């Protein structure tokens, strides 16, 4: 019930497409016609594909890639520099607070 079965479909030429079992083996179809001997079931040799790059690189695409890469580097650099600056400012303010508290505690101890 949970395993769908692919029905055998007929092509417009009258040939029947074989079904594929769950194990991946092809079940040959039974034809009532006599074999014609024309080798239409044999695989034709495949011509090798032309060796050319899949992506055509034009000067416009190179300029676009360089511009996009530069923009990404600038944005990431600005974010990193701003984070570093925030950490530096926070550290400096904590250091100033520590010095002020130390001096307040030291002056309070001298008064007693």
């Amino acid at each position: 019930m949970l395993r769908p079965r692919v029905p055998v479909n007929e092509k417009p030429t009258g040939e029947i497409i074989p079904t594929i079992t769950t194990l991946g083996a092809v079940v040959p179809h039974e034809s009532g016609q006599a074999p014609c001997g024309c080798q239409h079931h044999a695989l034709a040799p495949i011509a090798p594909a032309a060796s050319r790059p899949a992506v055509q690189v034009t000067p416009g695409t190179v300029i676009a890639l360089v511009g996009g890469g530069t923009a990404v580097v600038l944005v990431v650099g600005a974010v990193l520099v701003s984070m570093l600056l925030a950490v530096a400012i926070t550290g400096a303010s904590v250091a100033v607070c520590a010095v002020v508290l130390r001096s307040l505690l030291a002056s309070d101890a001298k008064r007693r």
Side-chain angles (χ1 to χ4, degrees):
M1 180 174 139
L2 297 176
R3 292 186 184 185
R5 301 285 183 205
V6 179
V8 177
N9 296 325
E10 292 188 18
K11 289 183 179 178
T13 58
E15 292 183 36
I16 299 175
I17 300 173
T19 59
I20 299 176
T21 63
T22 56
L23 298 176
V26 176
V27 178
H29 65 277
E30 297 295 328
S31 176
Q33 302 171 354
C36 59
C38 64
Q39 302 295 327
H40 63 276
H41 290 289
L43 296 175
I46 300 173
S51 61
R52 66 175 202 171
V55 177
Q56 297 292 328
V57 180
T58 61
T61 57
V62 170
I63 292 172
L65 287 175
V66 169
T70 304
V72 167
V73 167
L74 289 176
V75 168
V76 170
V79 168
L80 291 177
V81 166
S82 64
M83 290 172 62
L84 180 65
L85 188 61
V87 169
I89 290 172
T90 303
S93 64
V94 168
V96 167
C97 290
V99 168
V100 168
L101 283 175
R102 183 179 175 191
S103 68
L104 287 174
L105 290 174
S107 66
D108 189 36
K110 285 182 181 179
R111 287 185 192 168
R112 290 182 186 189

